[in-house]
Amino acid sequence: MRNQISYGAGAVSTNIAAKGTDASPEKPPVLPRSKPETLGEILTTGPWFQRFMLLSVVFMPFQYALTVPVGFPLKISEIFGIMGIATYVLGRRSMRRKRDLASVAVAVLAIATVFSALVNFTPGSGGLRSVGYDRGYETDLLLYSGYALLALCYWSVLRRVDRQRTVRAIVASIWLCGSAVLMQWASALSGNTQLIGTLGFRTLGVDDTVETLRSGPFLEGQHLGFFAGAAILVALYNRSYLAAVVAALSILYSQSTTAYAGLAVGIAMIVILKFSKVLVPLIATALVGVLALLFSDSLRTTLGRQLAKIGFTEFAPDYQYATTSLNLRGVKSQISFDMSSDNPIFGVGPGRYGAYFDQYVSGRQLPWIYSTDQTRPIAENAYAHVAAELGYVALIAFGLLILVLLWRNFRNASLLGMLAVFTALGVSTQSSWTFLPIWTFFALLAADDVESKQPLMETRGQ
């Protein structure tokens, strides 16, 4: 008897029994393609929960535009996400995913959210800021607790979708985002923002003029920059180079320092870890970048302003108040950690950062708008936000999740390692830790690549 086994891409093992003579192995059967060729097939095949989750990813950029007002802005991605979670919970599951450290961290974060909401449901008496709490403190807390649990459930379900399918959905979302950015840019250029206003886009920029519009379908430019910065890495991972160009143009439009800094740090980490493999491409890229800066005044101005925003004001001496945003974020992060030191276990409660804000200003210099009834303060740092509202246990769980994703993806593809670094840095400037694109990219980093884990099939000859 003699066994002959062949291995390869899509190979199967063949066991041939022969008596008294050698037998030739049969031609291994051709397995069907495991990944649909078109986006339409990806969105219309597979379990229903998967279809809804992928549709949610496709419409992820519309976090401000095209929202449905129901007492709060209900987003398209949230609608599909809720449908995906519901069909997953109610549907039949043939196999369960093994629990890992990432899922434990998310479970702890969910438990911390529930306990924080219960402990802080009735706020303390007196001294609370009422700006932005028109629904009442209790209703607002329930709403923000719901946002938090939705984001965590969203991650838990989306990570069960084949990584390659999620990647394709993100690439499709880049084209939708690029179209929305183009609409906003054209409207600002023409001065006619009536159409985008009807669709729910922002129609005025940070200084109440159309010239400073840079948010696309998001509320703020930093939101667009975070999405586009992560999306460009996903597009390159999928070898979707035109989509990567669209994402890069969206980054330029957003003027987001977070996107530039996150990509720079991600590239630096990969260079350090895989120096010999990336040296030549890095040198070529650097030369192209230098030539572009030499021949483009606009690129030099953009680079100078971004450097000025993180403290290198000598590169853009005419850019007034360049570090205002950076300084303001620093002050609000300090306030967040002051809150968490006074409330280390349960925090001040989901959504309550703005309510307790005035108690922690303590003479710190803030823009005049924070002394009026025109704004509800936000932390603008996801790490500080978690610490202030949910406490240190939740912060440890949040940090552990990110460390697990970093460790897992640095051992695999370089671009996914860069994506992990980018998200770890990018969340430090996000206005809320429940921002759904954060959890979309977290889910992608935590997902399994089904194609890489296809089990070998056996057929036995008689």
Side-chain angles (χ1 to χ4, degrees), residues 326-361:
L326 179 65
N327 296 337
L328 178 59
R329 292 176 187 273
V331 170
K332 291 199 285 189
S333 293
Q334 292 172 8
I335 290 174
S336 297
F337 286 111
D338 286 348
M339 287 184 193
S340 63
S341 65
D342 289 343
N343 305 273
I345 306 301
F346 301 111
V348 298
R352 291 277 172 82
Y353 174 86
Y356 285 87
F357 182 80
D358 288 346
Q359 298 181 21
Y360 290 88
V361 172

Side-chain angles (χ1 to χ4, degrees), residues 282-299:
L282 184 66
I283 292 174
T285 303
L287 290 174
V288 172
V290 170
L291 289 174
L293 289 172
L294 287 175
F295 292 100
S296 174
D297 290 336
S298 60
L299 284 179

Side-chain angles (χ1 to χ4, degrees), residues 208-226:
D208 293 331
T209 65
V210 295
E211 287 78 11
T212 52
L213 278 173
R214 58 186 184 90
S215 59
F218 294 90
L219 173 62
E220 299 179 9
Q222 62 158 329
H223 294 161
L224 172 60
F226 174 83

Side-chain angles (χ1 to χ4, degrees), residues 182-197:
L182 182 61
M183 284 182 61
Q184 191 182 60
W185 175 77
S187 297
L189 196 65
S190 65
N192 184 0
T193 58
Q194 183 177 357
L195 175 59
I196 64 170

Side-chain angles (χ1 to χ4, degrees), residues 21 103 128 282 385 453 460:
T21 183
S103 61
L128 295 182
L282 184 66
H385 187 200
K453 295 191 175 184
R460 299 184 183 274

